[in-house]
């Protein structure tokens, strides 16, 4: 569809005008009027609506230049194209200088349409530019009026001299603007004692690159009186040179009023406790910064609201009834409230709320002074929990020690019985049941030791992602087909230093707990990431320490937990499952492992919202060790003689019997003194000492030190089910000594004996251990 175009043609030839129109109609829908005198053109212009003027250069009664002048005299900016039958170069130049936008010959009208298009586009650009300039001019006029009439002093400085001040600025100092502009500097209006401060902390920083500054100083009026001033300054550029533009307020009266309340205000504002003032209806009128900090709400979010905005629903409604009746009667209320911050975090406040009365004794407001006692209550609760867990742990550790000796005998002889019987016999099956029960009891004992943090560990630097991936398939089978398992393992997750078996136990127990909480299905997510625990986190989570950690998270979409359940979650034998679905030691074991590894465990859960358990393990600074090849099973060289010292007769008999069955020569002693006597008698024959760590009258390491002093090449293997001296037992492992934890099976005993005889467990390690 062609665009409409209204043309005013100035030409004395109707034929030429028609020729022009025919040329243009190829691309436009044209309406036009032809004029050939000034009067006709004047009338046509007054009618308006023209988009372009096309004029002949020479006419009997008129000319193109005259038509152009007439157009300009009317103040119109329309595209003007000069067309002529004969137009020399000089005439064309003259027309362009006069303001024509283009010119062309009548015998070259093919150029007309492109010229029209170009000029119409240029006209639009010129019109938009003109409108923008007019708008800018209007804005500048309004801005100038605003600045001139402003109630704030406004100034501009260049080379330290005023290049502009508004009337208000002059009024502040009792000068006319003309008395300041280009004749005075700002420093001349500053009190002498503040001049250096204004120069070094306001003017110079702005001139040297500071973008903006807010500053207070004392000014000097023309009569010499001093005034308090507040100034805002910004660095800018004027005529290519740096300048300062600023605003100035006379705050003398305000400062005088503020001084009257200064001490009280500072005391409240800087108070380490929260302060809130409400009206008689409980609407907040004032809160101090501490209140804002503790609650997490901004001042705007609190003003006009009721302090009940902090209610958590965990405080008995009767407490609030008593509070309100107490303060409305003019008395003071004391108590604790369990509140909720804006971010949902719960906290405890100890508060004192009282009435504010006027001079006539009427209550006008209420004031509350409250202290956040969350950390104190958490610390008390944590101490109580630690003490309870420690007491249970000591009991569990003691039980585990006795069980270890019994289970060593039970499982050892059960293994021997199973191997000595025909596999198809009834007696073989019955012996197997005894062995399985003993192994389950050993697992339970290990869990007790993990919970009580008395298990002897063999920590290594591990890639936590590889450990999770290694058990992923097993985990999927463990949770069942109705529950999805998703892993989100951060590629840059750091290394951790932990016993590999215990890390696997953490993952397995957390997954089992998440599975049992996901009876209706859903997804269990296992995630790893690096995490920095800061001081704020450790303050709110007693038992955690600031530092760099790797966080292992296991989240489910199950039923979630109440606060009561979360408080008891890591207690041994506590479970929410029905009878027969767990011992209640799973999460207690995880707790013990994490604590023993120097980490922290956090539970995030709400009823009906699922649960996420975050385990924070310290990030290891050591590099990941190179993988070592595991040697293939070898035949045991039983040509060695071994001295066994064990104060528990059942364990001693089992060890001696197992070693002799494999061909070793064994000397047995039930106490260290008997062991020393046997060694003195057979020192040339004895190649290795296998000793319990904790025995009456003398420890295993002390015995080993004495015997090694007499025979330096003696090999040593320690065994123990006692965990009270766990730190020293782990030191044995760190120094390369061989250690066999109870309970153990016969195969484990033989492997440890072989490893010890092949190299581990020499004199250096025992000496280091004894240090």
């Amino acid at each position: 569809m062609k665009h409409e175009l209204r043309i005013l043609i100035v030409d004395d030839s109707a034929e030429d005008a028609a020729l022009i129109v025919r040329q243009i109609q190829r691309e436009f829908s044209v309406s036009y009027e032809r004029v050939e005198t000034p009067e006709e053109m004047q009338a046509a212009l007054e009618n308006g609506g023209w988009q372009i003027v096309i004029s002949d250069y020479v006419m009997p009664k008129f000319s193109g230049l005259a038509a152009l002048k007439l157009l300009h005299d009317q103040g119109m900016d329309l595209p003007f194209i000069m067309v002529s039958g004969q137009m020399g170069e000089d005439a064309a130049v003259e027309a362009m200088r006069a303001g024509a936008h283009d010119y062309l010959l009548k015998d070259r009208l093919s150029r007309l349409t492109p010229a029209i298009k170009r000029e119409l586009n240029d006209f639009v650009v010129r019109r938009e530019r003109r409108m923008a300039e007019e708008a800018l001019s209007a804005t500048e006029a309004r801005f100038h009026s605003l600045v001139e009439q402003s109630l704030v002093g406004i100034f501009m400085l260049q080379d330290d001299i005023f290049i502009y001040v508004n009337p208000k600025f002059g009024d502040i100092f009792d000068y006319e603007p003309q008395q300041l502009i280009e004749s005075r500097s700002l420093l001349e209006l500053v009190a002498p004692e503040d001049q250096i401060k204004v120069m070094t902390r306001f003017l110079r920083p702005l001139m040297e690159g500071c973008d903006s500054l807010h500053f207070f100083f004392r000014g000097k009026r023309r009569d010499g009186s001093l005034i308090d001033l507040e100034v805002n300054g910004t660095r800018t550029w004027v005529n290519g040179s740096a300048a300062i533009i600023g605003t100035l307020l006379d705050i003398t009266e305000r400062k005088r009023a503020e001084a009257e309340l200064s001490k009280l205000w500072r005391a409240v504002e800087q108070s380490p406790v929260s302060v809130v003032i409400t009206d008689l209806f409980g609407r907040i009128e004032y809160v101090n910064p501490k209140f804002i900090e503790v609650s997490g709400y901004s001042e705007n979010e609190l003003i006009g609201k009721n302090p009940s905005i902090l209610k958590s629903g965990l405080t008995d409604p009767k407490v609030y009834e008593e509070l309100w009746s107490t303060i409305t009667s003019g008395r003071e209320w004391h108590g604790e409230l369990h509140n909720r911050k804006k971010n949902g975090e719960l906290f405890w406040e100890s508060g004192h709320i009282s009435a504010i009365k006027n001079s006539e004794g009427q209550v006008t407001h209420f004031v509350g002074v409250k202290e956040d006692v969350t950390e104190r209550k958490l610390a008390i609760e944590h101490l109580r929990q630690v003490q309870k867990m420690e007491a249970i742990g000591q009991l569990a550790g003691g039980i585990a020690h006795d069980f270890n000796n019994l289970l060593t005998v039970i499982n050892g002889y059960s293994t021997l019985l199973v191997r000595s019987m025909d596999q198809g016999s009834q007696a073989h099956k019955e012996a197997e049941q005894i062995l399985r029960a003993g192994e389950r009891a050993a697992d339970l004992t290990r869990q007790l030791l993990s919970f009580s943090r008395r298990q002897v560990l063999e920590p290594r630097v591990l890639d936590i992602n590889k450990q999770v991936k290694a058990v992923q398939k097993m985990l999927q089978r463990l949770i069942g087909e109705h529950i999805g398992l998703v892993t989100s393992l951060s590629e840059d997750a750091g290394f951790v230093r932990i016993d590999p078996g215990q890390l696997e136990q953490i993952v397995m127990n957390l997954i089992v707990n998440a599975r049992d909480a996901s009876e209706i299905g859903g997804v269990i997510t296992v995630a790893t990431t690096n995490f920095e625990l800061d001081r704020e986190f450790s303050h709110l989570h007693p038992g955690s320490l600031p530092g760099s950690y790797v966080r292992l998270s296991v989240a489910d979409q199950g039923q979630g937990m109440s606060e009561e359940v979360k408080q008891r979650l890591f207690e041994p034998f506590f479970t929410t499952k029905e009878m027969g679905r767990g011992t209640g030691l799973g999460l207690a074991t995880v707790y013990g492992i994490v604590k023993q590894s120097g980490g922290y465990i956090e539970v995030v859960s709400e009823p009906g919202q699922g649960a996420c358990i975050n385990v924070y393990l310290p990030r290891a600074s050591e590099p990941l060790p190179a993988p070592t090849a595991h040697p293939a099973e070898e035949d045991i060289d039983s040509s060695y003689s071994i001295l066994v010292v064990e104060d528990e007769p059942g364990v001693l008999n089992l060890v001696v019997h197992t070693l002799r069955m494999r061909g070793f020569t064994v000397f047995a002693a039930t106490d260290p003194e008997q062991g020393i006597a046997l060694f003195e008698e057979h020192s040339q024959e004895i190649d290795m000492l296998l000793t319990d760590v904790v025995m009456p009258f003398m420890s295993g390491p002390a015995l080993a030190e004495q015997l090694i002093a007499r025979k330096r090449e003696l090999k040593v293997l320690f065994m123990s089910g006692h965990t009270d001296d766990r730190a020293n037992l782990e030191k044995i492992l760190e120094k390369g000594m061989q250690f066999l934890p109870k309970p153990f099976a016969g195969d484990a005993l033989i492997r440890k004996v072989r490893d010890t005889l092949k190299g581990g467990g020499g004199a250096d390690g025992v000496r280091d251990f004894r240090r």
Side-chain angles (χ1 to χ4, degrees), residues 546-561:
S548 299
Y549 292 81
V550 177
R551 185 177 69 185
L552 169 69
S553 302
V554 176
D556 63 64
Q557 298 173 328
Q559 58 207 18
M561 289 175 270

Side-chain angles (χ1 to χ4, degrees), residues 312 315-316 319-320 323 333 335-339 347-351 353 370 373:
S312 65
T315 300
D316 191 334
V319 173
Y320 295 107
L323 185 159
W333 177 87
E336 287 188 348
L337 300 172
H338 202 182
N339 287 335
F347 70 107
W348 282 93
E349 281 189 314
S350 174
I353 305 175
K370 302 188 289 182
V373 294

Side-chain angles (χ1 to χ4, degrees), residues 114 121 195 241-242 287 316 319 388 459 495 502 504 664 685 753:
N121 288 335
Q195 287 181 348
S241 298
V287 290
D316 191 334
V319 173
K388 180 172 67 175
F495 302 141
Q502 291 209 321
E504 182 176 318
F664 290 99
E685 304 170 52
V753 169

Side-chain angles (χ1 to χ4, degrees), residues 244-376:
I244 297 173
I245 183 170
T247 59
L248 196 75
L249 277 176
D250 182 350
I251 58 170
T252 305
E253 291 302 320
R254 189 180 81 192
K255 289 270 288 186
R256 185 177 295 115
E258 288 174 353
E260 296 176 2
L261 298 172
S262 155
K263 289 183 181 179
L264 176 61
W265 180 258
R266 283 198 303 270
V268 175
E269 285 287 289
Q270 299 173 21
S271 172
V273 296
S274 299
V275 178
V276 55
I277 298 175
T278 73
D279 62 15
L280 291 175
F281 300 99
R283 292 186 292 256
I284 296 174
E285 292 187 356
Y286 168 80
V287 290
N288 73 336
K290 189 64 177 181
F291 189 101
I292 294 170
E293 176 190 334
V294 171
S295 70
Y297 289 95
S298 69
E299 184 177 9
N300 290 337
E301 290 172 318
L302 292 168
I303 299 302
K305 300 293 193 304
N306 192 286
S308 61
I309 193 174
L310 301 179
K311 277 188 177 180
S312 65
L314 300 176
T315 300
D316 191 334
K318 292 181 180 179
V319 173
Y320 295 107
E321 293 175 7
E322 179 194 355
L323 185 159
W324 189 248
S325 63
T326 299
I327 63 175
T328 52
S329 65
R331 294 177 290 118
E332 184 177 356
W333 177 87
H334 305 269
E336 287 188 348
L337 300 172
H338 202 182
N339 287 335
R340 189 185 301 275
K341 300 182 181 183
K342 180 182 178 181
N343 62 6
E345 182 183 333
L346 296 171
F347 70 107
W348 282 93
E349 281 189 314
S350 174
H352 304 263
I353 305 175
S354 58
I356 300 176
K357 301 177 181 178
N358 60 17
S359 57
E360 298 175 355
Q362 296 175 325
V363 176
T364 61
H365 293 82
F366 300 110
V367 59
V369 179
K370 302 188 289 182
E371 181 181 6
D372 184 349
V373 294
T374 307
E375 188 174 338
R376 185 193 311 162

Side-chain angles (χ1 to χ4, degrees), residues 603-619:
V603 181
V604 181
S605 181
E606 296 288 342
Q609 302 296 317
C612 179
I613 297 182
N614 295 317
V615 172
Y616 299 90
L617 297 172
R619 205 181 312 169

